[in-house]
Structure formats: C-alpha cells, structure tokens
Amino acid sequence: MQYADSRKLRESIYRAYVTRSSDLFFKTEFDNSEVIVATIEQRKQLAQLLGFANYAEYSLAAKMAKNTETVLNFLTELAAASMNRAQDEFAELSKFAADCGLEGAMQPWDTAYYSEKLRQANYDISSE
C-alpha cells in the first residue's frame, strides 16, 4: 500500500482487506459473521460460569488494570490527549498529498502511501 503509485489499486487492495471474511466484497461463502457471534457468546458464557459479569472483566482479572471502568477511563484520557496532535498530523499529511497532486479528499487507502512519501521527503529515509 505504501509503495503502490496507482490510487485505484490501493483502493482495491484496501477494500478487499477490510472486507475479508465477510459478504460485503466476496462471495458469502467467506462470511464468518456467525463464527464471530458464536465466539462472543461463548466468551460471555465462560465469563459468567467463572463468576464475572462479562468477558472484559474476566480478561482483566490477570492484568494490571483493576476493572473495565479503569480501562475505559484510560482510553478516554488517551484519546483526548492525542486527538489534537493526530488532527494536526492528518492535516499536514493531507496538505502534503494535495501538494503532490492528490485530487479530492484523503482516503484510508491513501494514508500509508503519502505517509511514506512524506517520510522520504522529510528525512530522506525509506521504511524499506
């Protein structure tokens, strides 16, 4: 994705990747939605059998966070603390892409490509 000059190719690869194992892009024979639902239900049952309200509480029992509220608070604070910088970086990347000739808005399939181009322009290095 980061080296494909063809925007159409990047979009095609992106859409195929994000819709894998679903019926949105390929045939329904690859749709694993039922397996996901069954897995979630089994995790819920496991947690309840072991005395937990849900799988998240079960998962946290052996981890550093005290409870699900602690995790949610941490993630909320992290998002708030990083949002402005993320927006600034995206604006910089969008401007760079426009300066490189990108027509229209930046799309998900464009970010890796233009991020690599920006890295090369700013630091004269390639992630390769």
Side-chain angles (χ1 to χ4, degrees):
M1 292 287 282
Q2 65 195 72
Y3 299 109
D5 291 328
S6 169
R7 190 176 195 200
K8 187 175 179 179
L9 175 62
R10 292 193 310 268
E11 180 181 2
S12 178
I13 293 169
Y14 173 83
R15 290 188 185 279
Y17 181 77
V18 299
T19 58
R20 67 194 182 286
S21 301
S22 76
D23 64 352
L24 297 176
F25 195 72
F26 294 108
K27 300 175 184 173
T28 56
E29 67 190 80
F30 298 116
D31 182 14
N32 68 353
S33 300
E34 291 179 18
V35 173
I36 293 170
V37 170
T39 301
I40 291 169
E41 184 58 36
Q42 289 172 354
R43 285 181 172 185
K44 179 182 173 185
Q45 290 173 5
L46 171 66
Q48 290 174 343
L49 283 171
L50 296 173
F52 296 94
N54 54 54
Y55 188 78
E57 285 185 8
Y58 164 73
S59 177
L60 289 175
K63 296 181 178 144
M64 196 167 119
K66 296 177 187 174
N67 53 42
T68 55
E69 184 179 342
T70 302
V71 173
L72 290 174
N73 287 340
F74 171 76
L75 292 174
T76 301
E77 290 173 18
L78 180 62
S82 60
M83 184 59 76
N84 288 338
R85 181 66 186 139
Q87 289 172 332
D88 291 346
E89 287 181 7
F90 187 76
E92 177 188 5
L93 183 62
S94 296
K95 182 183 180 319
F96 177 80
D99 292 347
C100 289
L102 176 68
E103 295 179 8
M106 176 81 71
Q107 297 297 322
W109 47 87
D110 296 321
T111 56
Y113 178 77
Y114 286 105
S115 292
E116 179 64 18
K117 295 285 186 197
L118 181 60
R119 185 173 23 260
Q120 289 174 4
N122 287 344
Y123 306 110
D124 195 27
I125 59 169
S126 167
S127 60
E128 242 185 38

